[in-house]
């Protein structure tokens, strides 16, 4: 089936991309377009060629799948398309109605004119995939709007709306109505190649050294190459080439840099993350079901999490009632709500009126009678099964039949809560991460009776709340915390062997983690960890009494000014504390653990492979569906570096057999799944969810 259509309007040939869902310009599509251009160029009645896209997309750019495998010999791509337009003799116009991203915008930049509808957005998001624009974008955008603004757009990778794009000079015209009509107004207009222009910096007043200064500053502002800035430095190099060289030479530089990047480990990892995120909602064996409409919600408990979840609902336009019995807690919660929205106003993210409206969408109540008509309730009371059971019994008796009852529990059994109700099919876990209004991750926990419709509703709600939702089986700690516990145990084991917490953290930050494990303990609370250790010592381990000692000393972390680190009064910056190292040494001595010399490499391996080993168990037991789901949980929930693709992707990069050999060397039990993959010479990415449903451990 053809991936495009052609029509003629007067002297204009309209070429429409028809490659749903996003009109990606893959190899086959480019082949067709080259032929369509040749035909139009050879048609004497045609003076102008207009490109446009069907649906709500002009084009999302290259087909990213093409970068994951070797292209067939002689395959043509967007570069060839742009080169063909450069060589052509007629007038070319891009008529954008919707999204033009990446290679889609680059094709438009190779045209003479660009018009768009007001709803359109344009952008060069390649950096998010660890790439740079590779079809002339780094050379044409600086020539069109100036190198400095172009660099800013390409380094951020965020789309720009049509109005702003016109102000910047990317678009020639923005229209309300028929974009083809607007484009055909350029029929017969003189050619206006962007490539013929000279690139300028786009900011004035810095004199002769402006360009080298801007380039040097840009290099300093992006992360180092091995800490996620791999593509950013190459992007700056490419823009520098646009300033220094004539077009063809700059273009050759861009192509070389892009070709290096596309095969690089960070880019392959980021492309994996892109697809893994989009696969999350595809749940095998889940019969199709229409999600329920969520018009109104309730939260039980206005503590840390309840307040954050309420802000999240209100921000997505869903009015919410928070049931909180404690007056002082209601006051604190109200202050957090107003504080959060006023902060957004201060940062220019919303108007005063919007902030007011959103804050007003959150009501407080003491009694369950206020929430009997809501469509979903999210329970966020204390992490205690007796309290949760009581809440579920009351909710089932009060809230209208058909409403979903969800729990934000971090570790407790969803089925035990469902058993308190006469609607277990409507009970589900919705595990938000703290701070709930900021963290992107949402684990959706499938109870043994949760219906397909309940799960689909939770997934759809996640999307509406702008969360990345991952489905998890119902087992202690679900996916993320279960993995984090093994990771924590290993971090503590390293410190017991004499590696200081600050060194463990520094090594892991250098690996790319947003935070080291010990700083994370101090943020979430050593007391929380202590409580889990009391209840489930088997899950988090207890070789020494270090957690007890810290707990007894009141060292709960940031909130008490000391934990694994010390903090200045009211400060959040961890300061290494020799007292804690002494405690570790004493505890290690008492437990007969000898100090060792541990390399940085071993620190990374022990912490990351702890995640891989438990991740494989979660896959085997059906708690997690796919390796990619686990990667997304750790990237979005725990700050794992996306340029390493997540722990499971990283294991494939290192080679599962190598990981298994190291795990054996560390003396751990190897996950049977990893052992089997290693033996067969397979990778985790070859794993596909089996026909069985998610487990209910
Ligand atoms: N290539 C292949 N598939 C793509 C794609 C692309 N460029 N862009 C989106 N898709 C697929 C998604 O995988 C998804 O597939 P699925 O339905 O099977 O899950 C489907 O299109 C819809 O995507 P989303 O769910 O993300 O849809 P949204 O409407 O939420 O978002 C979007 C649309 C904003 C375009 C978003 O998909 C996006 O950001 N896409 C990537 C854009 C991009 O990075 N373009 C640059 C590509 S690299 C390039 O052009 C190189 C060039 O410089 C040489
Ligand atoms: P919190 O202690 O800050 O808040 C709990 C609130 O619930 C308190 O305000 C309390 O007054 C209220 N409450 C207690 N019983 C109630 C009842 N019967 N009816 C109505 N309100 C009641 O606790 P936090 O941290 O907000 O945790 C809540 C839940 O979220 C727990 O299940 C926890 O495991 C989970 N969670 C916590 C995370 C965190 O980092 N704090 C992260 C993810 C989940």
């Amino acid at each position: 089936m053809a991936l495009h259509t052609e029509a003629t309007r007067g002297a204009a040939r309209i070429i429409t991309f028809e490659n749903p869902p996003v009109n990606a310009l893959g190899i086959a599509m480019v082949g067709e377009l080259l032929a369509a251009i040749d035909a139009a160029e050879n048609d004497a009645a045609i003076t102008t060629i207009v490109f446009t896209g069907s649906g709500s997309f002009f084009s999302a750019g290259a087909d990213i799948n093409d970068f994951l495998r070797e292209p067939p010999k002689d395959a043509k791509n967007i570069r060839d398309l742009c080169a063909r337009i450069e060589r052509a003799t007629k007038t070319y116009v891009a008529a954008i109605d919707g999204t033009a991203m990446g290679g889609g915008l680059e094709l438009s930049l190779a045209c003479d004119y660009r018009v768009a509808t007001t709803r359109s957005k344009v952008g060069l998001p390649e950096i998010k995939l660890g790439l740079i624009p590779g079809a002339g974008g780094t050379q044409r955008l600086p020539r069109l709007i100036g190198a400095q603004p172009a660099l800013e757009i390409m380094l951020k990778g965020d789309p720009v709306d049509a109005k702003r794009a016109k102000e910047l000079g990317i678009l020639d015209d923005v229209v309300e109505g028929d974009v083809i009509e607007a484009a055909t107004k350029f029929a017969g207009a003189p050619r206006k190649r962007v490539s013929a222009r000279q690139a300028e910096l786009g900011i004035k007043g810095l004199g002769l050294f402006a360009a080298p200064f801007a380039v040097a500053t840009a290099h300093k502002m992006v992360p180092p190459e091995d800490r996620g800035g791999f593509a950013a430095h190459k992007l700056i190099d490419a823009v520098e080439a646009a300033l220094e060289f004539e077009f063809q030479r700059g273009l050759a530089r861009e192509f070389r840099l892009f070709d290096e990047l596309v095969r690089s480990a960070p880019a392959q990892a980021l492309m994996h993350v892109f697809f893994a995120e989009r696969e999350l909602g595809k749940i095998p064996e889940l019969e199709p079901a229409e999600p329920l409409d969520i018009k109104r919600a309730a939260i039980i408990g206005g503590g840390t999490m309840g307040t954050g979840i309420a802000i999240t609902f209100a921000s997505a336009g869903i009015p919410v009632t928070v049931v909180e019995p404690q007056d002082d807690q209601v006051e604190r919660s109200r202050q957090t709500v107003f504080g959060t929205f006023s902060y957004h106003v201060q940062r220019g993210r919303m108007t005063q009126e919007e902030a007011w409206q959103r804050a007003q969408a959150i009501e407080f109540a003491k009694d369950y009678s206020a929430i009997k008509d809501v469509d979903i309730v999210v329970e966020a009371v204390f992490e205690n099964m007796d309290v949760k059971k009581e809440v579920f019994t009351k909710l089932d008796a009060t809230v209208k039949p058909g409403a979903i009852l969800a729990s934000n529990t971090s570790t407790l059994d969803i089925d035990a809560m469902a058993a308190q109700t006469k609607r277990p099919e409507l009970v589900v876990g919705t595990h938000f991460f703290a701070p709930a209004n900021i963290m992107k991750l949402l684990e959706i926990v499938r109870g043994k009776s949760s219906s397909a419709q309940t799960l689909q509703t939770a997934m759809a709600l996640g999307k509406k709340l702008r969360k990345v939702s991952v489905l998890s089986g119902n087992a202690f700690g679900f996916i993320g915390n279960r993995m984090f516990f093994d990771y924590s145990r290993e971090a503590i084991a390293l410190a017991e062997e004499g590696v200081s917490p600050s060194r463990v953290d520094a090594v892991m930050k250098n690996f790319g983690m947003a935070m080291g494990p010990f700083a994370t303990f101090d943020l979430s609370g050593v007391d929380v960890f202590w409580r889990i250790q009391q209840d489930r010592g088997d899950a988090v381990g207890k070789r020494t009494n270090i957690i007890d000692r810290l707990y007894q000393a009141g060292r709960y972390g940031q909130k008490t000014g000391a934990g694994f680190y010390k903090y200045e009064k009211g400060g959040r910056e961890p300061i290494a504390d020799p007292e804690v190292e002494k405690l570790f040494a004493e505890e290690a001595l008492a437990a007969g653990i000898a100090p060792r010399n541990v390399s940085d490499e071993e620190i990374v391996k022990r912490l990351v492979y702890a995640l891989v080993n438990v991740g494989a168990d979660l896959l085997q037991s059906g708690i997690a569906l796919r390796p990619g789901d686990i990667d997304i949980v750790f990237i979005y929930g725990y700050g794992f570096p996306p340029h390493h693709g997540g722990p499971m992707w990283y294991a494939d990069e290192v080679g599962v057999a190598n990981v298994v050999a190291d795990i054996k060397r560390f003396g751990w039990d190897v996950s049977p799944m990893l052992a089997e993959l290693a033996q067969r010479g397979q990778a985790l990415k070859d794993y596909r969810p089996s026909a069985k449903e998610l487990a209910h451990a």
Side-chain angles (χ1 to χ4, degrees), residues 197-389:
R197 298 164 67 139
Q198 182 75 34
E200 282 170 10
L201 194 57
I203 43 173
K204 295 196 175 72
L206 289 173
L208 195 58
F209 300 108
F213 177 74
V215 167
T217 309
H219 277 297
K220 281 200 200 110
M221 283 176 71
V222 300
E225 291 220 327
D226 58 352
R227 293 271 303 275
F230 197 56
H233 288 281
K234 292 206 167 17
L235 180 56
I236 300 164
D237 290 346
V239 172
E240 187 180 14
L243 284 164
E244 269 183 24
F245 303 143
E246 47 85 22
F247 181 73
Q248 285 303 336
R249 208 169 144 203
L251 199 61
R253 171 71 59 90
E254 176 199 274
F255 289 178
R256 181 170 62 70
L257 293 168
F258 179 93
D259 293 348
E260 264 172 50
L261 279 171
V262 79
R263 283 177 186 79
S264 71
Q268 292 285 320
L270 286 164
M271 289 189 255
H272 153 69
V273 173
F274 176 84
F275 284 118
E277 198 176 321
R278 278 152 186 86
E279 217 176 338
L280 294 171
K282 293 174 189 145
I283 301 158
E285 285 93 47
L286 194 66
E287 70 263 29
E290 239 343 88
L292 298 166
D293 196 13
I294 303 291
K295 290 205 191 73
R296 213 186 150 87
I299 314 289
I300 311 298
T304 313
M305 292 306 289
T307 306
I309 299 169
I311 293 171
T312 309
F313 273 88
S315 303
I318 304 174
V320 58
T321 304
V322 180
V323 178
E324 169 57 60
Q326 309 282 348
D327 287 335
D328 54 343
Q329 191 55 52
V330 171
E331 205 32 56
R332 268 199 292 275
S333 182
R334 254 192 235 283
Q335 276 172 16
T336 308
V337 168
F338 279 98
T340 305
F341 289 127
S342 355
Y343 177 75
H344 288 317
V345 174
Q346 275 166 28
R347 300 297 301 258
R349 293 192 197 126
M350 60 178 70
T351 63
Q352 193 79 44
E353 198 185 322
E354 279 164 344
W356 179 250
Q357 267 170 8
R358 286 185 198 185
Q360 290 306 310
I362 302 176
E363 283 175 3
F364 289 85
K366 284 217 160 45
D367 200 90
Y368 284 38
S369 58
I371 61 165
K372 56 184 193 311
D373 293 326
V374 300
D375 305 302
I376 189 169
V377 185
V378 180
E379 160 287 304
V381 302
F382 303 130
E383 185 75 345
N384 175 301
M385 186 50 100
D386 292 336
V387 181
K388 304 259 189 210
K389 279 184 173 170

Side-chain angles (χ1 to χ4, degrees), residues 21-22 57 60-64 101 103 106 125-126 129 133-134 274 278 282:
V22 295
F57 288 91
D63 185 336
I64 300 165
M101 305 259 263
E106 288 176 292
E126 284 86 345
L129 300 170
F274 176 84
R278 278 152 186 86
K282 293 174 189 145

Side-chain angles (χ1 to χ4, degrees), residues 504-556:
V504 173
D505 280 7
V507 169
M508 292 315 287
K509 276 187 82 171
N510 201 37
F511 173 74
M513 293 295 295
M515 251 185 168
F518 289 101
T520 311
F521 299 148
D522 275 1
L523 182 67
S524 37
V526 175
D527 53 324
V528 175
F529 204 81
W530 179 84
R531 203 151 284 127
I532 294 167
Q533 207 179 46
Q534 300 300 304
D535 295 347
R536 294 289 299 245
D538 57 329
V540 294
K542 196 171 192 286
R543 276 208 307 182
T544 66
N545 297 316
I546 188 74
I547 301 287
D548 282 339
R549 300 276 304 267
L550 292 172
Y551 182 77
Q552 280 151 15
R555 300 189 67 128
Y556 292 178

Side-chain angles (χ1 to χ4, degrees), residues 7-327:
T8 303
R9 257 202 219 185
R13 174 71 37 88
I14 319 292
I15 299 178
T16 306
F17 312 143
E18 301 265 7
N19 187 16
V22 295
N23 293 330
L25 298 169
I27 294 168
M29 171 82 140
V30 167
E32 281 189 17
L33 295 179
L34 284 169
I37 292 174
D38 283 344
E41 284 283 326
N42 290 329
D43 187 338
I46 298 295
T47 62
T48 304
I49 289 93
V50 175
F51 295 113
T52 193
S54 62
S56 56
F57 288 91
F58 178 77
S59 166
D63 185 336
I64 300 165
N65 293 293
D66 290 345
F67 300 143
L68 302 177
R69 47 185 179 242
E70 271 307 307
K73 249 185 158 20
D74 306 326
K76 299 279 190 260
N77 60 34
I78 307 171
R79 288 177 187 170
D80 298 290
L81 212 46
C82 294
R84 179 69 187 89
I85 297 171
E86 285 289 335
R87 282 196 319 272
T89 56
K90 301 188 173 174
T91 303
Y92 284 75
V93 190
I96 301 167
D97 180 24
T99 304
M101 305 259 263
L105 179 60
E106 288 176 292
L107 174 70
S108 314
L109 295 174
C111 293
D112 302 294
Y113 302 96
R114 287 151 294 281
V115 292
T117 53
T118 43
R119 69 162 181 163
S120 299
K121 287 193 166 102
V122 302
L124 293 173
E126 284 86 345
I127 195 86
K128 296 187 179 178
L129 300 170
L131 300 173
I132 61 172
T138 68
Q139 303 305 302
R140 289 193 180 89
L141 195 60
R143 282 179 164 76
L144 190 61
I145 67 169
Q148 182 73 27
L151 190 57
E152 278 166 25
I153 287 176
M154 291 188 283
L155 277 176
K156 267 209 191 117
D158 291 336
V160 176
D161 64 42
K163 183 167 166 273
R164 175 91 187 110
K166 174 145 191 262
E167 283 162 11
L168 283 164
I170 301 174
L171 299 173
D172 296 289
D173 202 5
V174 175
V175 295
E176 280 291 347
D178 184 349
V179 75
I180 311 274
E181 179 72 33
T184 50
K185 291 205 177 114
F186 289 93
R191 298 221 57 181
K192 223 173 136 200
R193 297 282 189 269
V194 177
S195 58
R197 298 164 67 139
Q198 182 75 34
E200 282 170 10
L201 194 57
I203 43 173
K204 295 196 175 72
L206 289 173
L208 195 58
F209 300 108
F213 177 74
V215 167
T217 309
H219 277 297
K220 281 200 200 110
M221 283 176 71
V222 300
E225 291 220 327
D226 58 352
R227 293 271 303 275
F230 197 56
H233 288 281
K234 292 206 167 17
L235 180 56
I236 300 164
D237 290 346
V239 172
E240 187 180 14
L243 284 164
E244 269 183 24
F245 303 143
E246 47 85 22
F247 181 73
Q248 285 303 336
R249 208 169 144 203
L251 199 61
R253 171 71 59 90
E254 176 199 274
F255 289 178
R256 181 170 62 70
L257 293 168
F258 179 93
D259 293 348
E260 264 172 50
L261 279 171
V262 79
R263 283 177 186 79
S264 71
Q268 292 285 320
L270 286 164
M271 289 189 255
H272 153 69
V273 173
F274 176 84
F275 284 118
E277 198 176 321
R278 278 152 186 86
E279 217 176 338
L280 294 171
K282 293 174 189 145
I283 301 158
E285 285 93 47
L286 194 66
E287 70 263 29
E290 239 343 88
L292 298 166
D293 196 13
I294 303 291
K295 290 205 191 73
R296 213 186 150 87
I299 314 289
I300 311 298
T304 313
M305 292 306 289
T307 306
I309 299 169
I311 293 171
T312 309
F313 273 88
S315 303
I318 304 174
V320 58
T321 304
V322 180
V323 178
E324 169 57 60
Q326 309 282 348
D327 287 335

